[in-house]
Amino acid sequence: MPIYEYLCDKCKHRFELMQRIDEEPPKTCPRCRGRVHKVISPAAFVLKGTGWYATDYAGKGKKDTTQEKKLEEKTDSSKST
Ligand SMILES: [Zn+2]
């Protein structure tokens, strides 16, 4: 069975799911029940350009962006200490 990768639009949770080709893809995130979209493959994702992703990110998830920045800061400070 092929493994599909999904990314949550809301909390940016990334997960893999083993599915049959004719199986219905999940529509909601197992973590926050936000909307998920399929990540075709890492290579295709990069080739498409980060453009649409960055726009999407900036437009929709202002809350998420702040949260993630805070997380990054935390990780950074814990690393340096
Ligand atoms: Zn989520």
Side-chain angles (χ1 to χ4, degrees):
M1 274 197 278
I3 293 173
Y4 296 101
E5 206 175 348
Y6 294 90
L7 180 70
C8 173
D9 285 336
K10 211 175 170 185
C11 71
K12 309 294 171 197
H13 176 50
R14 210 175 169 136
F15 59 100
E16 283 169 353
L17 214 66
M18 215 192 275
Q19 285 190 302
R20 286 162 54 124
I21 287 176
D22 57 347
E23 218 171 323
E24 275 282 305
K27 290 195 179 77
T28 49
C29 168
R31 231 194 224 173
C32 73
R33 308 225 167 186
R35 259 196 18 202
V36 295
H37 63 260
K38 195 193 264 180
V39 181
I40 310 294
S41 83
F45 193 72
V46 174
L47 272 178
K48 263 190 181 175
T50 45
W52 68 271
Y53 183 71
T55 324
D56 195 48
Y57 195 90
K60 269 190 212 160
K62 273 192 179 168
K63 257 191 191 169
D64 288 346
T65 317
T66 356
Q67 267 178 358
E68 246 171 56
K69 264 188 189 166
K70 271 185 193 167
L71 271 178
E72 264 170 41
E73 276 167 26
K74 263 191 188 171
T75 326
D76 275 354
S77 52
S78 59
K79 256 184 203 170
S80 53
T81 353

